[in-house]
Amino acid sequence: MNQSFTIPKFRLPAIIASIGQKLPQWPHTLTLVAGLNAALKMKLLPESELEALEDKLFRVRVLDTGGEASYTYRGGLFHPVFRPEREPDLAFAANLSAFLQLLARQEDPDTLFFNRELEITGDTELGLIVKNMLDAVEWPSLPKLPLFSR
Amino acid sequence: MSSLPDLICPAGSLPALKAAVDNGADAVYLGFKNDTNARNFAGLNFDQKNMTEGIRYAHAKGREVLLAINTFPQAGRVGDWQKAVDAAVDQGVDAIILADVGLLDYARQRHPQQRLHLSVQGSATSYEAINFCQREFGIKRAVLPRVLTLAQVENVIKNTTVEIEVFGFGSLCVMNEGRCWLSSYACGESPNTVGACSPAKYVKWDKQPGAMETRLNGILIDRFGDAEAAGYPTLCKGRFEVQGETYYALEEPTSLNVISILPEIMKIGVRAIKVEGRQRSPAYVTQVTRTLRAALDALAEGSERFHVKPAWQAELAKVSEGSQATLGAYSRPWR
Ligand code: SF4
């Protein structure tokens, strides 16, 4: 990938997290789901592995913004879940910079995990499937994805 | 004057393969999406279509593709492993990396033109074992287990015409290549049976206040404080209570890193250096390949002038398991 810029490791002040928690959680949940569905539409995600995601509940928590998004995969699409009624099958938690570094393929999830910058809890095998699935995706140049064009 | 060793990089996916090729690997190694290779993790590895595309990509840039079929055929299913060998030949890979003598024999008989490498899982540590495989199966290269000192590697090279490949960077498997059953002890499955050590379905990361616990099939393997670096959930890297003391009883989570002894490695005539990590992401492959390429290119300009740049070590330390590096057995004073 063309690495014309690098995302530095940073951590937002704790005050932002406490404000973030009080804000409605839906805008970034929708963005995330829209991005995933766009990837689906472009047939970027392998069908064989998608089966394993059916009806699973995922949660992404951004520690330093206090943001949280839950979503599920059902009937060939990702759907936001605004009021999850159970513990997620798989949960990721990290600071914003770590997520951005992951998305830009600047850092490897194992590296972030070893360095304790990325937390993965829940069904480990599901986590591995998701990680390997995203690794195997050949993203078109990133800015074309809705996730990045906001 | 010895020539520069080839840089062999891991590819668990098509983007990782492209990252390796684009960042200066001379060859990539990969595996099929099944238990014929030792990194049989969910979502990883290549189906026929991806492999065809990967091989095309690498060959277009003049790089080699090596295919690992490095697990041992399970009783009653030998045909699956033989089919994998046939499929690899059909795909036109540059070499097949094999561990099992039965499969080596099969490949030799059925596809006499195919270039064969002896896998690290084959556990050949002496030139006698390597020369035997050359005589019987025509192997062109052997990957040495990570148990030999540099002097021992040199002795092997002096006594064989088979090319020698050694590990240069990556997570360490305890000194028992190809023979470890620790994972089976905890969960009934290990690399030599299902192609994966500590399969993910048995692994649980448990977040506790102030610490994270790792369990393999319910067995507590380690507990990391919030500021402590974590490692892979394998038994060999667990902390256990032994005679009243809790410590890494078998091995500390570390990564091998040979950058500082590259001139010696080249001097003794090592043909290729391998990077571990088909389970890692394209980002890791990019970082490690780029760094080792830079080091090897610096070495090509003359080993007298070679010195290790701090930036290389920093880059490699960052991606290491346990964030510590070692020279492993290469610099071991005892034998
Ligand atoms: S338990 Fe450790 S030494 Fe054994 S196969 Fe797994 S990683 Fe290697």
Side-chain angles (χ1 to χ4, degrees), chain B residues 49-120:
Chain B
K49 185 172 140 261
N50 279 346
M51 195 171 291
T52 307
E53 153 112 36
I55 292 172
R56 190 181 330 117
Y57 191 86
H59 283 174
K61 302 209 171 175
R63 317 302 166 79
E64 291 189 329
V65 176
L66 319 179
L67 185 110
I69 302 178
N70 55 354
T71 51
F72 295 85
Q74 294 297 297
R77 290 184 45 218
V78 177
D80 291 352
W81 272 258
Q82 294 177 338
K83 264 187 242 144
V85 170
D86 299 340
V89 175
D90 284 346
Q91 285 277 0
V93 297
D94 297 280
I96 308 178
I97 309 171
L98 293 169
D100 178 69
V101 284
L103 272 187
L104 279 160
D105 187 51
Y106 173 84
R108 177 66 168 168
Q109 303 292 336
R110 184 61 74 91
H111 309 286
Q113 302 306 319
Q114 178 65 50
R115 185 182 161 95
L116 302 178
H117 291 182
L118 181 65
S119 164
V120 62

Side-chain angles (χ1 to χ4, degrees), chain B residues 264-276:
Chain B
E264 288 85 348
I265 285 181
M266 178 166 122
K267 193 166 128 247
I268 64 175
V270 167
R271 186 68 194 82
I273 292 176
K274 179 170 217 151
V275 174
E276 184 272 348

Side-chain angles (χ1 to χ4, degrees), chain A residues 63-150:
Chain A
L63 296 171
D64 55 354
T65 65
E68 187 176 303
S70 291
Y71 58 99
T72 185
Y73 177 76
R74 199 177 307 122
L77 276 181
F78 288 96
H79 306 272
V81 178
F82 297 113
R83 261 178 233 93
E85 276 156 16
R86 58 184 179 98
E87 277 297 294
D89 296 291
L90 181 66
F92 298 95
N95 287 332
L96 182 63
S97 73
F99 279 124
L100 291 176
Q101 288 174 331
L102 270 184
L103 285 171
R105 287 220 171 126
Q106 194 177 304
E107 291 300 349
D108 157 294
D110 294 25
T111 300
L112 295 172
F113 181 80
F114 292 150
N115 298 334
R116 309 296 301 278
E117 287 169 48
L118 172 67
E119 227 174 71
I120 305 167
T121 43
D123 179 341
T124 313
E125 183 163 48
L126 187 61
L128 205 59
I129 293 173
V130 170
K131 179 204 126 173
N132 289 335
M133 187 170 87
L134 293 177
D135 277 353
V137 171
E138 295 216 77
W139 299 111
S141 54
L142 285 173
K144 285 195 199 110
L145 287 177
L147 201 59
F148 288 85
S149 57
R150 275 166 45 100

Side-chain angles (χ1 to χ4, degrees), chain B residues 172-194 196-199 202 216-217 219 221 232-240 248-252:
Chain B
L172 281 173
C173 215
V174 97
M175 304 180 174
N176 215 347
E177 316 265 352
R179 299 174 191 149
C180 181
W181 296 84
L182 274 174
S183 177
S184 286
Y185 174 77
C187 61
E189 298 183 8
S190 54
N192 298 318
T193 61
V194 302
C197 180
S198 315
Y202 300 110
L216 184 59
N217 205 17
I219 299 176
I221 287 192
Y232 282 122
T234 60
L235 272 180
C236 64
K237 287 160 189 161
R239 273 181 281 200
F240 302 101
Y248 291 106
L250 298 164
E251 183 185 39
E252 294 209 17

Side-chain angles (χ1 to χ4, degrees), chain A residues 37 40 50-51 53-55 72-79:
Chain A
N37 284 333
L40 276 179
L50 279 170
E51 268 170 41
L53 309 190
E54 190 74 24
D55 267 334
T72 185
Y73 177 76
R74 199 177 307 122
L77 276 181
F78 288 96
H79 306 272

Side-chain angles (χ1 to χ4, degrees), chain B:
Chain B
M1 173 72 197
S2 336
S3 58
L4 206 61
D6 276 0
L7 179 59
I8 319 285
C9 295
S13 65
L14 200 49
L17 179 147
K18 293 184 177 177
V21 168
D22 294 347
N23 286 284
D26 296 298
V28 293
Y29 67 102
L30 37 77
F32 285 122
K33 248 184 201 312
N34 58 35
D35 57 1
T36 63
N37 81 91
R39 290 284 187 282
N40 179 29
F41 295 123
L44 202 67
N45 296 320
F46 290 73
D47 56 19
Q48 301 274 353
K49 185 172 140 261
N50 279 346
M51 195 171 291
T52 307
E53 153 112 36
I55 292 172
R56 190 181 330 117
Y57 191 86
H59 283 174
K61 302 209 171 175
R63 317 302 166 79
E64 291 189 329
V65 176
L66 319 179
L67 185 110
I69 302 178
N70 55 354
T71 51
F72 295 85
Q74 294 297 297
R77 290 184 45 218
V78 177
D80 291 352
W81 272 258
Q82 294 177 338
K83 264 187 242 144
V85 170
D86 299 340
V89 175
D90 284 346
Q91 285 277 0
V93 297
D94 297 280
I96 308 178
I97 309 171
L98 293 169
D100 178 69
V101 284
L103 272 187
L104 279 160
D105 187 51
Y106 173 84
R108 177 66 168 168
Q109 303 292 336
R110 184 61 74 91
H111 309 286
Q113 302 306 319
Q114 178 65 50
R115 185 182 161 95
L116 302 178
H117 291 182
L118 181 65
S119 164
V120 62
Q121 296 287 102
S123 256
T125 47
S126 67
Y127 61 82
E128 288 94 338
I130 291 166
N131 289 339
F132 170 82
C133 288
Q134 182 184 38
R135 191 172 72 232
E136 297 300 318
F137 316 120
I139 59 158
K140 292 286 189 297
R141 183 182 295 176
V143 187
L144 292 187
R146 287 157 278 193
V147 299
L148 300 179
T149 63
L150 213 52
Q152 289 170 325
V153 174
E154 183 174 21
N155 188 44
V156 169
I157 292 173
K158 279 199 181 124
N159 289 286
T160 184
T161 53
V162 174
E163 297 173 1
I164 295 300
E165 179 173 319
V166 301
F167 274 86
F169 184 80
S171 282
L172 281 173
C173 215
V174 97
M175 304 180 174
N176 215 347
E177 316 265 352
R179 299 174 191 149
C180 181
W181 296 84
L182 274 174
S183 177
S184 286
Y185 174 77
C187 61
E189 298 183 8
S190 54
N192 298 318
T193 61
V194 302
C197 180
S198 315
K201 60 173 177 276
Y202 300 110
V203 176
K204 197 98 197 148
W205 309 106
D206 229 351
K207 182 78 183 131
Q208 309 275 356
M212 186 180 65
E213 292 186 349
T214 317
R215 287 178 189 273
L216 184 59
N217 205 17
I219 299 176
L220 181 63
I221 287 192
D222 210 344
R223 183 184 286 127
F224 305 101
D226 281 346
E228 252 181 315
Y232 282 122
T234 60
L235 272 180
C236 64
K237 287 160 189 161
R239 273 181 281 200
F240 302 101
E241 198 183 306
V242 183
Q243 294 175 339
E245 248 186 280
T246 304
Y247 65 109
Y248 291 106
L250 298 164
E251 183 185 39
E252 294 209 17
T254 47
S255 282
L256 176 73
N257 175 1
V258 300
I259 252 187
S260 64
I261 54 167
L262 277 182
E264 288 85 348
I265 285 181
M266 178 166 122
K267 193 166 128 247
I268 64 175
V270 167
R271 186 68 194 82
I273 292 176
K274 179 170 217 151
V275 174
E276 184 272 348
R278 279 191 290 133
Q279 74 283 13
R280 303 283 296 256
S281 293
Y284 163 92
V285 175
T286 300
Q287 292 162 337
V288 177
T289 306
R290 190 171 55 198
T291 307
L292 286 174
R293 181 78 268 157
L296 284 167
D297 287 349
L299 186 58
E301 283 169 16
S303 53
E304 319 74 49
R305 290 201 305 273
F306 179 81
H307 70 271
V308 179
K309 293 212 174 111
W312 299 340
Q313 294 295 44
E315 182 89 342
L316 294 180
K318 190 183 65 184
V319 302
S320 295
E321 188 184 4
S323 293
Q324 328 182 2
T326 119
L327 283 171
Y330 294 128
S331 73
R332 187 156 38 96
W334 48 272
R335 308 228 161 130

